[in-house]
């Protein structure tokens, strides 16, 4: 099947949340570690054995059981509802959850539960910059370091769960797995997208409780691939924010190119723009700054 036909074929795809709530549209397009651990994760390079040691026994399983709390109401996405052609799998890390596609070789949805306390812990946490292919993913379905090498200089490795959200050395190290990355325009990643991430953190720091964030790529018709293994390059990226205390939600959708950040959109507009119904199982009372 050609890439074009794959994109067209995704028009029948649906994702179900546990509890029976249906979400359609997006897939139409498709505390601190010990001091010695801080040194272990600061090397700048990481072997596959070291990478595997970053994950607990439960996190090594293809299941959201170990990270259900990263989703609103602890209701993860039902991976079994994703069409087989996407070769989807669930991946848990300490502070985020990834719905991953072995077809796109990227995350499809990354979910985080953030709080002011977590971000206080994350402040000043040193970046590892030690990117690595996720050892939990079969080699035939994952991105490799060569896909983002100097041979292909047109993209950044764009974090979906940001490094700036990670409150421990191990969580920071986990955030550099390529399963948490998408090919991102460098200007977009370092300017507009960085501002979106910063704005979300500013909100979380003054919020009254947990804030859930969904982040991921959108693959519109005509998307490109990068690298030896043809990693899918998003045409757009999204971030959806849900404040559990106020039950308000808002989202950002940016083209994957140099752009300016516009005012966030309300949930209804986000759904219309992306096709993502990620909060249909939750009560959404309003949006940022509105009743």
């Amino acid at each position: 099947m050609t890439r074009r036909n794959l994109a067209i074929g995704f028009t029948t795809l649906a994702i179900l949340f546990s509890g029976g709530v249906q979400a359609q549209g997006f897939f139409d397009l498709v505390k601190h570690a010990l001091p010695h651990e801080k040194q272990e994760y600061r090397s700048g390079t990481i072997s596959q054995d070291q990478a595997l040691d970053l994950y607990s026994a439960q996190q090594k399983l293809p299941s959201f059981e170990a990270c259900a709390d990263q989703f609103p109401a602890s209701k993860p996405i039902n991976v079994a509802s994703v069409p087989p052609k996407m070769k989807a799998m669930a991946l848990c890390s300490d502070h985020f959850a990834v719905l991953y596609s072995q077809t796109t070789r990227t995350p499809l949805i990354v979910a985080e539960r953030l709080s002011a306390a977590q971000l206080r812990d994350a402040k000043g946490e040193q970046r590892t910059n030690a990117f690595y292919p996720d050892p939990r993913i079969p080699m035939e379905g994952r991105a490799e370091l060569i896909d983002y090498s100097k041979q292909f200089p047109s993209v950044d490795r764009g974090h979906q769960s940001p490094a700036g959200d990670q409150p421990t050395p191990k969580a920071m190290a986990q955030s550099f797995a390529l399963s948490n990355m998408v090919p991102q325009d460098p200007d977009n990643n370092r300017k507009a997208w960085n501002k979106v991430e910063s704005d979300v953190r500013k909100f979380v720091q003054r919020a009254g409780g947990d804030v859930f964030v969904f982040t991921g790529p959108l693959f519109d018709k005509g998307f490109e691939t990068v690298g030896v293994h043809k990693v899918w390059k998003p045409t757009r990226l999204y971030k959806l924010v849900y404040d559990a205390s106020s039950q308000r939600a808002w989202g950002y959708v940016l083209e994957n190119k140099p752009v300016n950040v516009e005012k966030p959109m309300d949930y209804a507009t986000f759904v219309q723009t992306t096709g993502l119904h990620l909060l249909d199982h939750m009560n959404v009372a309003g949006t940022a700054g509105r009743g």
Side-chain angles (χ1 to χ4, degrees):
M1 182 177 287
T2 66
R3 187 180 70 193
R4 180 176 181 273
N5 287 337
L6 270 174
I8 293 172
F10 295 161
T11 56
T12 61
L13 194 151
I15 290 294
L16 302 179
F17 283 80
S18 59
V21 180
Q22 185 172 358
Q24 297 177 328
F26 161 63
F27 296 105
D28 294 349
L29 306 170
V30 173
K31 254 317 144 172
H32 286 286
L34 296 173
H36 71 275
E37 291 182 309
K38 289 178 178 288
Q39 291 299 319
E40 180 181 353
Y41 304 134
R42 294 292 183 257
S43 64
T45 60
I46 184 169
S47 71
Q48 285 290 272
D49 286 342
Q50 289 173 317
L52 199 57
D53 286 343
L54 291 172
Y55 302 99
S56 69
Q58 268 197 316
Q59 290 172 345
K60 291 173 184 175
L61 301 176
S63 166
F64 284 134
E65 184 176 350
C67 55
D69 62 344
Q70 298 300 308
F71 297 88
S74 294
K75 292 186 176 181
I77 295 165
N78 183 355
V79 180
S81 65
V82 182
K85 69 177 70 175
M86 295 303 290
K87 299 180 182 178
M89 61 186 301
L91 299 171
C92 280
S93 293
D94 287 3
H95 290 279
F96 60 94
V98 177
L99 177 65
Y100 183 85
S101 169
Q102 297 179 69
T103 299
T104 68
R105 298 177 189 260
T106 69
L108 298 176
I109 299 173
V110 175
E112 302 177 89
R113 183 188 65 180
L114 300 178
S115 67
Q118 176 178 326
L119 293 185
R120 283 195 297 270
D121 287 343
K123 189 174 182 180
E125 188 64 51
Q126 184 182 344
R127 289 173 62 99
T128 66
N129 291 317
F131 296 89
Y132 60 93
D134 196 319
R136 300 171 296 174
I137 302 169
M139 291 185 68
E140 63 270 17
R142 73 189 190 195
E144 301 286 347
L145 293 175
I146 193 172
D147 295 314
Y148 293 94
S149 72
K150 292 181 180 179
Q151 297 179 34
F152 308 100
S154 62
V155 296
D156 278 0
R157 294 166 287 200
H159 279 72
Q160 301 301 276
S161 174
D165 293 353
Q166 310 309 320
T168 69
K170 186 156 75 77
M172 176 66 77
Q174 290 173 341
S175 78
F176 283 86
L178 294 185
S179 56
N180 184 41
M181 307 292 158
V182 299
Q184 192 165 359
D185 174 90
D187 187 273
N188 180 286
N189 183 36
R190 302 170 197 182
K191 295 180 181 178
W193 196 249
N194 183 63
K195 183 181 185 320
V196 169
E197 292 175 342
S198 178
D199 287 349
V200 171
R201 279 193 286 272
K202 287 177 182 177
F203 174 82
V204 173
Q205 288 166 343
R206 62 177 185 269
D210 289 336
V211 178
F212 294 89
V213 182
F214 294 98
T215 307
L218 296 166
F219 303 102
D220 298 297
K221 183 178 177 181
F223 68 88
E224 300 175 346
T225 63
V226 302
V228 172
H229 299 100
K230 299 188 182 302
V231 180
W232 290 23
K233 180 182 177 182
T235 52
R236 295 177 291 161
L237 298 103
Y238 69 85
K239 192 176 289 287
L240 176 65
V241 184
Y242 178 68
D243 180 6
S245 297
S246 67
Q247 299 182 329
R248 299 186 181 206
W250 57 97
Y252 304 84
V253 179
L254 275 64
E255 291 187 77
N256 191 11
K257 63 181 184 180
V259 292
N260 294 318
V261 180
E262 298 182 356
K263 184 178 179 180
M265 60 188 70
D266 60 29
Y267 179 59
T269 304
F270 176 85
V271 171
Q272 184 178 18
T273 301
T274 66
L276 271 166
H277 292 249
L278 292 171
L279 294 174
D280 282 6
H281 64 307
M282 302 298 294
N283 180 37
V284 178
T287 191
R290 301 179 189 177

